[in-house]
Structure formats: C-alpha cells, structure tokens
C-alpha cells in the first residue's frame, strides 16, 4: 500500500511540475521547472509519517550532493547539445531508465 | 524579458506523453523509497535530486521544435537542439535552487513544523530560481 501511495504521489507531483514547465515562457525560464523539487517533495512527505523528521532531514542533506550531480548533468547537456555532439533524444542515463519509451 | 503563460502549449502534448511522465515520476519515487529503505537515508537522499522531469521535457521540446520546422518544409534544423540546450540552461539554475531547498529542510525540519518547512522550502526554491534567472538575463 505504501508503494502505491508513493507511486501516485510521485507521479502526480512530477506531472504537475512538468505541466507548469510546458506552459511558462520563455524557454530558459521554463527550464527551471525541469529541476523542480518533485521527487524531493513526494519522498520526504511520506517518509515523515513512517520514519520521522530526523530521517527526512538526513535525506535532505544528501539531496544537496544529488543536486550538484544534477547540475553537472545539465551543464553536460548544455555543452553537448549546444555543440551538436549528440541529440536530446539520444538517451543519457535518466532518459534511458524510461526504457526508451519517451518519444 | 517577461514571464508569461502559454496554455496553447498543452495542446501540443499527447496523452501518452502525459502518461509517460506520470509513470516515470511514480516509478522514480518508488525506487527512491526502496533505495532509502535498503541503504539508509544518506544514500537514498542522493536520489531525491534525481532528474525526473528534465530529460523527458528537453526531449519533448526538441521533438516539438523539429516537427514545427518539418511542417514548415525544413528537414534539417539545429533549432530543436538549441531549444533543448536553452531548457538545460534553465534547469542548471534550478539545480542550485534545489540544493538550497535541501539545505533548508536539512537544517530546519527537525526544529519546526513540517508543513511550514516544506512550504517555505518550496517558496525558497521558486524565489531563488527566479532570482538567478533574472540575474542571468541582466548579465547577458
């Protein structure tokens, strides 16, 4: 049951931020929502109820390192897409985790 | 440059693209929870910043721009890739705000009400992201 709740909440929050990112312009501003705290809102919210505040705070501390790794990923995309080295539809790791199902 | 809303952009998105994002977001959240359960909050927390929205968003932007040019009779174009790179620039700023979001929760969650802290952290993320975006625009 907990996994179902996680799945639904995560899916809803990610979709909501993605929709906001689709409708706002200009494009560089819309890009901000690509790094919105979607999983970061869904996961600790549920963790709070099961594991408590200190556990969720520890997760948030690690998330800072994860955010810098994400920064490296986006900068690599800016460089490689800008230079035309590869196309956005050619799968970097997170995209490939979707099983290539993304159009 | 003004921030505006273009609701017509929603019509460009097919239902299966919405579904894919929902499934991807749900799956990543479940996997993150499972990783935290098995390896603890320190390892699990790394995945709270997993790029759940950015890769599919950039791919869609590139695809839509490419299709727009193809409909206009232009077969080969850099436009889609440039638009995706622009989206990635915005996401890069968003990641810095995401780090601030995590720092605020880490420091204040054990001390104060969780609803207040999560709302405040979300407001901080949005305010910082917009501020950095505006500064970047001014410096260009």
């Amino acid at each position: 049951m907990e996994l179902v709740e996680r799945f639904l909440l995560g899916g809803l929050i990610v979709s909501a931020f993605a929709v906001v990112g689709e409708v706002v312009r200009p494009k560089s501003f819309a890009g901000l929502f690509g790094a919105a705290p979607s999983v970061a809102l869904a996961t600790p919210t549920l963790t709070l109820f099961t594991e408590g505040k200190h556990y969720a705070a520890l997760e948030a501390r690690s998330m800072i390192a994860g955010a810098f790794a994400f920064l490296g990923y986006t900068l690599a995309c800016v460089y490689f897409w800008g230079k035309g080295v590869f196309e956005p539809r050619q799968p970097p790791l997170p995209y490939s985790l979707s099983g290539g199902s993304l159009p | 440059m003004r921030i505006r809303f273009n609701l017509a952009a929603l019509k460009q998105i097919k239902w299966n693209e919405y579904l894919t994002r929902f499934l991807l977001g749900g799956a990543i959240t479940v996997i993150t929870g499972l990783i935290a359960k098995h390896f603890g909050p320190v390892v699990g927390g790394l995945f709270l910043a997993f790029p759940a929205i950015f890769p599919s968003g950039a791919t869609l932007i590139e695809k839509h721009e490419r299709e727009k040019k193809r409909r206009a009779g232009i077969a080969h174009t850099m436009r889609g890739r440039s638009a995706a790179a622009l989206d990635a620039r915005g996401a890069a700023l968003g990641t810095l705000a995401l780090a601030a979001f995590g720092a605020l929760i880490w420091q204040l969650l054990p001390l104060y009400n969780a609803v207040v802290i999560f709302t405040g952290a979300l407001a901080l993320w949005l305010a910082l992201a917009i501020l950095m975006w505006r500064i970047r625009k001014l410096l260009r």
Side-chain angles (χ1 to χ4, degrees), chain B residues 40-55:
Chain B
V42 175
V43 177
L46 292 170
F47 293 86
L48 296 187
F50 193 88
I53 302 169
F54 167 67

Side-chain angles (χ1 to χ4, degrees), chain B residues 42-69:
Chain B
V42 175
V43 177
L46 292 170
F47 293 86
L48 296 187
F50 193 88
I53 302 169
F54 167 67
S56 56
T59 309
L60 283 181
I61 285 169
E62 191 268 348
K63 185 188 164 207
H64 291 158
E65 289 294 331
R66 195 164 24 92
E67 282 175 353
K68 212 188 288 177
K69 286 290 166 188

